[in-house]
Amino acid sequence: MLVHTGDDKCCEASIFEPLCLENPDVIFILAHGRPLIQTMQVLSHCANTLVDTAFMPIEDVLTLADKGFANRIIFGSDAPINQLYCNGLSTIQYIK
């Protein structure tokens, strides 16, 4: 199940931890992996969670890999949504 995470209080990664723990037979994908520290906490506590890289800074992807979560990353992208959502941010800028 893909769940949207973000920096807003209504969708921070930590709010999904109880749901993940209560449903160990379901695989949860923390879309966007935000906030990163909360995402890593959920990944640590819940074996049934993954994180996707859509709209994620490359630095966060590297941090996840460095912290031992490389095998829990799903590589993806929200492009070309960046051109609508980020006021003309180019795909090249988005990738960086």
Side-chain angles (χ1 to χ4, degrees):
M1 173 177 287
L2 181 70
V3 294
H4 174 82
T5 67
D7 293 318
D8 298 325
K9 292 287 181 195
C10 66
C11 58
E12 290 179 339
S14 63
I15 68 169
F16 296 106
E17 186 170 334
L19 181 66
C20 297
L21 289 169
E22 292 168 11
N23 297 281
D25 295 334
V26 176
I27 301 296
F28 290 91
I29 302 167
L30 305 172
H32 313 304
R34 293 195 178 146
L36 184 62
I37 290 175
Q38 289 184 23
T39 295
M40 290 188 293
Q41 290 171 344
V42 175
L43 290 169
S44 292
H45 300 152
C46 306
N48 59 328
T49 56
L50 304 170
V51 61
D52 87 331
T53 63
F55 221 66
M56 179 183 284
I58 190 65
E59 294 83 13
D60 289 359
V61 177
L62 295 172
T63 297
L64 286 166
D66 288 343
K67 297 294 183 179
F69 299 113
N71 63 339
R72 310 271 293 280
I73 298 171
I74 297 175
F75 290 89
S77 172
D78 277 351
I81 195 142
N82 54 293
Q83 294 175 348
L84 300 172
Y85 184 73
C86 295
N87 298 321
L89 180 68
S90 76
T91 300
I92 296 300
Q93 290 170 310
Y94 168 79
I95 292 170
K96 293 180 181 180

